[in-house]
Amino acid sequence: MSRITKEQVLHVAYLARMSLTEEEVEKFTKDLDDIIGSAEQLNEVDTTNVEPTTHVLDLHNVLRKDEVRPSLDREDVLKNAPDHEDGRFKVPSILE
């Protein structure tokens, strides 16, 4: 029994604005069905004594404290810039 249909593959391709050949539809239908089958195998695992987690590792806030620290001297930084003007980096315009 197939868990995904050609119509579903075509619908997803439409949403992604992809045009698929008939061979690609066949291939993706089989590939996605295999992926879903692999994921369904996880339902067979006994998880009765496993606590739900949101992350594999026991991580806590790993960000540093937000403290004011001295920054680099503007003139030293601008020495490394290919072009600068009025104390700021000057970059090529990307808008017309």
Side-chain angles (χ1 to χ4, degrees):
M1 178 178 133
S2 182
R3 291 170 279 262
I4 189 163
T5 65
K6 289 182 186 181
E7 290 76 24
Q8 290 170 318
V9 170
L10 288 169
H11 179 69
V12 172
Y14 171 77
L15 294 175
R17 292 183 167 83
M18 295 172 57
S19 59
L20 301 176
T21 65
E22 186 60 35
E23 294 81 26
E24 289 171 324
V25 172
E26 292 284 336
K27 179 185 182 318
F28 286 132
T29 302
K30 181 191 177 315
D31 290 349
L32 290 171
D33 189 62
D34 291 344
I35 291 169
I36 293 169
S38 296
E40 284 180 347
Q41 287 181 346
L42 296 174
N43 292 330
E44 299 171 12
V45 177
D46 180 19
T47 59
T48 51
N49 295 324
V50 178
E51 291 185 36
T53 59
T54 56
H55 199 280
V56 179
L57 303 175
D58 187 27
L59 292 179
H60 299 283
N61 189 357
V62 294
L63 301 174
R64 66 172 172 79
K65 286 181 120 180
D66 191 13
E67 299 172 340
V68 176
R69 300 188 314 193
S71 60
L72 300 172
D73 181 63
R74 182 181 298 203
E75 294 304 317
D76 290 340
V77 171
L78 290 175
K79 286 179 188 175
N80 294 317
D83 197 9
H84 58 88
E85 183 178 289
D86 298 327
R88 293 174 284 208
F89 293 106
K90 189 172 181 182
V91 296
S93 176
I94 58 169
L95 303 173
E96 294 181 19

